[in-house]
């Protein structure tokens, strides 16, 4: 089946000497993996390595056999040319981290147009703004809306957030955040991308990041802690 769709690159893995296996989150079919033969050959001008940097937004024409095997690109072009994401060390580090989080979080080979649109809009915002210290925190929390485990905020006046059920409670259970951690989490829930980025100190931001990674681990089977986490902490320390 010939498919034309937008796609967000989640990961690329070198295969043998010249080829790549590229995992994309597509607008039309959700998660798809593609085999890019001779990706490192200059003869393949339509399949440049630059196309497959983390969270690059592509417009693709591809052959989907839908048999659980690797699919193949027919045509590729940049859907959204970024101006700063891949050249700014802070933004590129954030993007590397987010792409790894999404790589371990999105598993369905079915369309999730609302998630795709949210990610696309968020990446546009990142590319066009400089105050971005909380961007990854807000994006990861908002993404849980589309993955099905956004916190129940109906009892946010309660002092403790219970991670397993995703609810605020009056009791400090084994899987609950401390009262201090719960208050930080409440502040994150109220944030938008355009909110003052200085609302958290560096240590507070690291605590919230740990909470989010733990929260993903509670709700996604087989979730793995991103290898790029240490790089992110180093850049934003």
């Amino acid at each position: 089946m010939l498919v034309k769709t937008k796609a967000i690159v989640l990961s690329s893995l070198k295969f043998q000497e010249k080829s790549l296996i590229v995992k994309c989150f597509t607008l039309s079919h959700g998660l798809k993996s593609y085999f890019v033969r001779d990706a490192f050959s200059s003869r393949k001008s339509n399949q440049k390595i630059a196309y497959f940097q983390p969270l690059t937004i592509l417009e693709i024409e591809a052959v989907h056999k839908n048999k659980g095997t690797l699919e193949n690109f027919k045509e590729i072009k940049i859907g959204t040319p970024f101006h700063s994401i891949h050249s700014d060390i802070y933004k590129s580090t954030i993007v590397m981290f987010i792409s790894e989080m999404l790589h371990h979080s999105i598993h369905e080979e079915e369309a999730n147009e609302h998630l795709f649109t949210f990610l696309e809009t968020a990446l546009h915002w990142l590319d066009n703004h400089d105050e971005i210290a909380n961007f990854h925190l807000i994006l990861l929390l908002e993404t849980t809306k589309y993955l099905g485990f956004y916190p129940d905020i109906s009892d946010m006046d309660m002092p403790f957030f219970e991670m397993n059920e995703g609810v605020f409670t009056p009791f400090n259970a084994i899987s609950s955040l401390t009262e201090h951690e719960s208050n930080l989490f409440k502040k994150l829930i109220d944030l938008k991308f355009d909110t003052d980025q200085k609302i958290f100190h560096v240590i507070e931001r690291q605590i919230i990041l740990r909470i989010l990674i733990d929260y993903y681990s509670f709700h996604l089977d087989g979730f793995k802690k991103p290898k790029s986490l240490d790089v992110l902490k180093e850049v934003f320390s």
Side-chain angles (χ1 to χ4, degrees):
M1 177 173 61
L2 188 62
V3 174
K4 292 184 179 181
T5 184
K6 286 184 177 182
I8 299 174
V9 177
L10 299 185
S11 67
S12 58
L13 176 68
K14 190 173 183 180
F15 180 75
Q16 296 181 345
E17 289 298 316
K18 296 182 179 181
S19 302
L20 278 177
I21 296 173
V22 180
K23 182 177 287 188
C24 292
F25 178 51
T26 69
L27 176 60
S28 63
H29 289 79
L31 190 67
K32 283 289 181 182
S33 294
Y34 300 89
F35 181 67
V36 185
R37 189 183 303 278
D38 296 331
F40 294 87
S41 170
S42 59
R43 297 191 305 273
K44 295 286 185 178
S45 59
N46 67 326
Q47 295 182 347
K48 295 178 181 177
I49 301 302
Y51 288 3
F52 306 118
Q53 294 184 76
L55 300 190
T56 299
I57 300 174
L58 302 173
E59 290 184 5
I60 66 171
E61 188 173 319
V63 177
H64 285 181
K65 296 180 180 178
N66 298 318
K67 294 182 178 179
T69 56
L70 297 174
E71 314 291 14
N72 292 283
F73 293 119
K74 189 174 181 182
E75 297 287 342
I76 312 170
K77 65 179 181 179
I78 298 293
T80 302
F82 293 134
H83 304 292
S84 64
I85 282 180
H86 295 303
S87 58
D88 180 293
I89 182 64
Y90 297 102
K91 293 183 181 182
S92 62
T93 302
I94 283 176
V95 159
M96 178 174 64
F97 170 74
I98 291 172
S99 68
E100 197 175 353
M101 286 289 292
L102 295 174
H103 171 81
H104 293 308
S105 303
I106 300 173
H107 304 295
E108 292 77 19
E109 287 196 23
E110 58 185 37
N112 190 336
E113 295 182 7
H114 294 296
L115 175 56
F116 189 98
T117 300
F118 164 70
L119 293 174
E120 184 179 30
T121 302
L123 290 168
H124 278 293
W125 189 94
L126 177 64
D127 193 44
N128 289 290
H129 291 79
D130 296 322
E131 298 296 323
I132 58 166
N134 300 319
F135 175 85
H136 55 303
L137 305 177
I138 299 169
L139 183 139
L140 290 179
L141 180 61
E142 289 294 307
T143 297
T144 66
K145 288 181 179 178
Y146 307 98
L147 296 178
F149 56 97
Y150 187 75
D152 181 346
I153 60 175
S154 57
D155 291 315
M156 269 183 66
D157 56 326
M158 297 296 179
F160 302 103
F161 181 70
E162 200 281 313
M163 299 277 274
N164 193 43
E165 297 296 326
V167 298
F168 288 90
T169 73
F171 310 109
N172 188 5
I174 293 176
S175 55
S176 294
L177 302 179
T178 66
E179 192 164 358
H180 173 62
E181 291 169 339
S182 297
N183 285 332
L184 290 177
F185 198 53
K186 290 176 185 180
K187 289 173 71 174
L188 175 64
I189 288 172
D190 288 333
L191 285 191
K192 305 298 180 188
F193 288 131
D194 288 320
T195 308
D196 180 13
Q197 297 290 305
K198 296 181 175 64
I199 191 170
F200 297 122
H201 300 301
V202 172
I203 299 300
E204 291 177 330
R205 199 174 290 118
Q206 291 181 355
I207 291 171
I208 295 169
L209 182 58
R210 175 182 55 76
I211 290 169
L212 285 167
I213 291 173
D214 288 345
Y215 190 52
Y216 271 65
S217 298
F218 266 101
H219 293 273
L220 294 173
D221 291 338
F223 179 80
K224 298 178 182 177
K225 186 171 76 170
K227 295 178 181 178
S228 56
L229 179 61
D230 292 337
V231 178
L232 184 77
K233 288 180 179 178
E234 182 70 26
V235 169
F236 282 92
S237 62

